[in-house]
Amino acid sequence: MRFLDAYPKEVKVFLIASLINATGSALMWPLVTMYVFDELGRSMKDAGLVILIQSLGGIVGQLLGGSLYHKVGVNRLIVGALAMNALALFALPAASQSWMLFMVTMGLVGLFNSLSLPAIQAFIGFRFAKQRGELFNVIYVANNIGVALGTALSGFLADLSYMLSFVLNGVTSAVFAVFFFFYLKKVGDGSHDDADAYKKVQPRHTSNWKLMGNTRIYLYMAIGSLFLLIGNSIWNNGVSPFIITEGWSKKSYGFLWTLNGILIFVAQPLVSLIKRWFARTSTAQMTASAVFYMSGYFVILLLPTYPGLLLAMVLATLGEMLISPAMPSFISDHAERSAPFYLGLTGGIGAVGRVIGPVFMGSLFDSGGLPPAAWLASGMALLSVGFFAVHAYSNRQSVLKEKPVTQISMDGKVV
């Protein structure tokens, strides 16, 4: 990770804090279904209902987070959201005594956790305007390392206590809140360097309804993301039960996600080459991402074997690596001062796919097994290609002026 030497010390500290927070968050999410079914003795339908409520809370959090950025201030929004998320997590042991209270608390966890996401992304875009393209990618990698660590630890902690995982998640959220409290007091909200440019482009008090009218910035991209997330549900609600029905080891499913985590780190040079040769702008990266996802789903459809699933995961991971930094980078580059609002709006619309995808995918698997689920995923990815292409076309003038994003490979070379 020698390329980090090119960044100031505050960036390295921010990356460490993000990694710790991502590790804490990953301690909990794999265990929620197990906890509801095993510890609380509820049905899988009830477990699915909890995940649904948490996801809906996340959608509301994304929308609110983007809208409140300039109204309440970045410090209050980020620190407050993280602190409230920690309190909600600490409250889970007591809330578990009542099923209704537990569901409400999980909804609040989803709300407060997502409330800070667009604000943190916007802060990065404002604070590090000249390097935000590469920084979104570096932070994405760091967060996924944290997710891999947290997921690996979660099983060991569950053997000791489910609640220990929840509480440790709350601790990491509280630590992240304290970090941001002092960090933002030191560096400010990150928007001062470009304040004059924002004022020229965007009036300071523009209503959210007026901002929503500028569909070119967000709508087609958000719908494309929504369809991708519907299709991506095939891994949990198609591939997972398929592996079980085939009598394969459950470890084989876990290895797919191990492969995903390894690729996100080691395949950075390959993704840099893809961006350099085929997808130099963020809009092109989104379209290329959907093509990779679609290719992976076609592999599942045509080659429903374990080697086929491994190849599909490689292709889908490349798609994930392309789109995850591209969307916040595009919004930060083109929405100027309104970036927080559009980050929240795009994230909220896209998250709808994560809510409804499991329902559609699970129903198709129940009725026909893996093939209809793979057809749905392929169709959703194809629609994503179309919407991302429309997004690129509608922004073609700004894309022509857009400078190719500097990419730094994992060996430290600028490509």
Side-chain angles (χ1 to χ4, degrees), residues 77-94:
L77 180 57
I78 295 178
V79 175
L82 290 170
M84 293 301 293
N85 185 53
L87 290 175
L89 289 163
F90 290 145
L92 276 176

Side-chain angles (χ1 to χ4, degrees), residues 222-239:
I223 295 176
S225 174
L226 184 153
F227 285 130
L228 270 190
L229 288 172
I230 291 176
N232 207 39
S233 300
I234 192 172
W235 296 105
N236 289 330
N237 300 88
V239 172

Side-chain angles (χ1 to χ4, degrees), residues 130 133 280-282 285 329 333-334 398-407:
K130 295 180 181 179
R280 296 184 67 85
T281 63
S282 54
Q285 289 159 24
S329 180
D333 287 338
H334 294 81
S398 58
V399 168
L400 290 174
K401 300 176 183 177
E402 184 181 348
K403 296 180 181 179
V405 177
T406 301
Q407 297 298 329

Side-chain angles (χ1 to χ4, degrees), residues 31 50 60 78 87 125 132 183 193 249 286 295 329 344 398 404 408:
L31 302 177
V50 170
V60 175
I78 295 178
L87 290 175
R132 58 190 169 208
Y183 181 71
D193 294 340
S249 168
M286 294 178 214
S295 301
S329 180
S398 58
I408 299 181

Side-chain angles (χ1 to χ4, degrees), residues 34-90:
M34 292 173 60
Y35 174 73
V36 171
F37 182 74
D38 182 29
E39 189 79 8
L40 299 184
R42 310 290 300 199
S43 67
M44 288 300 293
K45 180 180 178 181
D46 288 339
L49 179 61
V50 170
I51 298 298
L52 174 62
I53 291 173
Q54 185 180 4
S55 300
L56 291 174
I59 293 174
V60 175
Q62 290 264 13
L63 297 174
L64 280 178
S67 301
L68 295 176
Y69 187 94
H70 290 300
K71 294 179 181 179
V72 304
V74 61
N75 201 326
R76 290 180 180 177
L77 180 57
I78 295 178
V79 175
L82 290 170
M84 293 301 293
N85 185 53
L87 290 175
L89 289 163
F90 290 145

